[in-house]
Amino acid sequence: MNNLLWFSEIGKDDLEICGEKAVSLAELYNIGIPIPQGFVITSNAYQKFLQENNINKQIQNILSNLNLDDLKLLQKKAEEIQEIILKAEIPEDLKQEIYESYENLNVDNEVLKSGNKNALSLIKMGRSLPYVAVRSSKISEGDFPTFLSVKGNNSLSLSIKKCWASLFTSSLIHKREKNNIEYDKILISIIIQRMIDSESSGIIFTINPLTHNENELMIESTYGLSELIIANNVNSNVYIIDKQNNEIKSKKTPKQDYMVIREETLNKNLKRQVPENMKEQVLDEQQILQLVDYSKKIEQFYNKAVDIEYAIESGKMNILQVKPLRAIKMFYSKKENV
């Protein structure tokens, strides 16, 4: 039974232990899309954690004779279960496996594949532990938290346990009890993925959201993190590309006054003025065409329109997230003149 799996090791057969989001990321990784390195703590690891800490029996006792109409009592029982999970220790062998994999996220994938332990040790000695995103990969229904900019073994362990504890909110307990779903059938897996320190970033729509033209693709780009684009609060670059011949049909490159960066010493995102020496056009033509190539491959793989979040770090492209474009909303009114 696998407690941990790297993206390169995950296939569709692992859906039950890895969840939809992890399998989706792994599929993209394995067809050559540049996904940031990551691994999954499977539902097997979660079950091991529960069993070795005898948490199943404690949960059973807490949830016995539950009155769903008593919301205060329900909340109290939820908090009690969550506290038990947060205070419990991750089994030592599992913890060491997680820590070793976490440390390896700072190592180039080719070195990991080589199995050269001496080279691996030398590289690790010269590098600090990386910042990671810790997010659930849904196996059961529910909205689960994501923890960003997590660094260090203790912070990682706590974030993992918070993800596990999120299975036992009062609302989720109420829903399961009402539908006679046994709590021990509810499972969760967790994605641990290296965070990208973005020089520039943005969003790609594989259908032009301004015109709904399926033969056009739109890229929005900004210096720093894409946080300002998502909030529709930045004069981002906008590029419209013909998907059939890769022609850049139009581009809008206003001067960007501000950007959001991750401040490592404070471990938080900060708004900063864009340096004067930065060019107005965030992406060069080669980068635009590279993003177009990845976007078309991703759209073809899923056989549907998608929006894609990307980031560039040290000149390297990274695809961070892919979501189906179920409905294109005309929320780009400020860019109507592109």
Side-chain angles (χ1 to χ4, degrees), residues 120-132:
L120 201 56
S121 297
L122 285 171
I123 292 170
K124 287 180 182 179
M125 284 174 60
R127 297 183 181 179
S128 63
L129 291 170
Y131 283 96
V132 293

Side-chain angles (χ1 to χ4, degrees), residues 13-175:
D13 292 342
D14 298 306
L15 188 63
E16 289 187 3
I17 63 169
C18 291
E20 294 174 6
K21 187 178 290 184
V23 170
S24 178
L25 282 170
E27 285 178 330
L28 293 175
Y29 183 89
N30 289 319
I31 63 168
I33 302 299
I35 303 296
Q37 184 69 286
F39 63 92
V40 176
I41 302 172
T42 70
S43 59
N44 295 334
Y46 169 65
Q47 290 177 306
K48 176 182 174 72
F49 168 77
L50 294 181
Q51 290 165 2
E52 296 200 15
N53 285 285
N54 197 29
I55 293 174
N56 283 319
K57 188 173 182 180
Q58 295 178 71
I59 293 173
Q60 187 176 1
N61 290 336
I62 292 168
L63 295 181
S64 61
N65 301 317
L66 190 64
N67 181 0
L68 295 181
D69 295 324
D70 190 339
L71 298 182
K72 285 186 178 180
L73 180 61
L74 183 61
Q75 180 62 33
K76 182 180 177 182
K77 286 179 177 289
E79 290 173 358
E80 191 176 344
I81 293 171
Q82 290 176 340
E83 187 176 3
I84 289 170
I85 291 173
L86 293 175
K87 286 185 175 180
E89 289 293 331
I90 298 174
E92 192 62 32
D93 57 338
L94 175 58
K95 190 194 303 185
Q96 291 309 313
E97 191 177 359
I98 292 170
Y99 288 172
E100 183 178 353
S101 296
Y102 168 46
E103 194 175 359
N104 284 341
L105 281 176
N106 242 358
V107 179
D108 186 86
N109 194 39
E110 294 304 315
V111 178
L112 282 176
K113 285 180 181 178
S114 73
N116 188 326
K117 293 184 178 180
N118 291 331
L120 201 56
S121 297
L122 285 171
I123 292 170
K124 287 180 182 179
M125 284 174 60
R127 297 183 181 179
S128 63
L129 291 170
Y131 283 96
V132 293
V134 179
R135 53 171 61 93
S136 66
S137 179
K138 188 166 65 173
I139 294 175
S140 56
E141 288 189 16
D143 293 320
F144 304 111
T146 291
F147 302 97
L148 303 177
S149 297
V150 175
K151 184 176 183 179
N153 290 338
N154 291 338
S155 295
L156 179 61
S157 291
L158 179 59
S159 298
I160 290 166
K161 289 192 287 184
K162 283 181 176 178
C163 281
W164 286 337
S166 69
L167 283 173
F168 294 95
T169 62
S170 58
S171 59
L172 287 177
I173 292 172
H174 186 281
K175 184 177 181 179

Side-chain angles (χ1 to χ4, degrees), residues 197-259:
D197 192 6
S198 308
E199 298 158 2
S200 64
S201 59
I203 300 172
I204 307 162
F205 296 88
T206 61
I207 291 178
N208 186 338
L210 302 174
T211 63
H212 294 202
N213 188 336
E214 295 183 4
N215 295 317
E216 292 179 345
L217 176 150
M218 187 175 100
I219 300 174
E220 280 200 87
S221 188
T222 180
Y223 285 114
L225 305 176
S226 59
E227 187 176 300
L228 293 177
I229 290 180
I230 295 169
N232 205 17
N233 194 27
V234 67
N235 289 324
S236 56
N237 280 200
V238 182
Y239 312 97
I240 304 295
I241 297 95
D242 188 314
K243 288 158 66 174
Q244 295 178 317
N245 58 20
N246 291 351
E247 176 192 352
I248 301 172
K249 298 180 72 172
S250 67
K251 57 185 176 181
K252 186 179 180 182
T253 58
K255 181 175 172 55
Q256 184 180 334
D257 296 321
Y258 296 96
M259 63 181 179

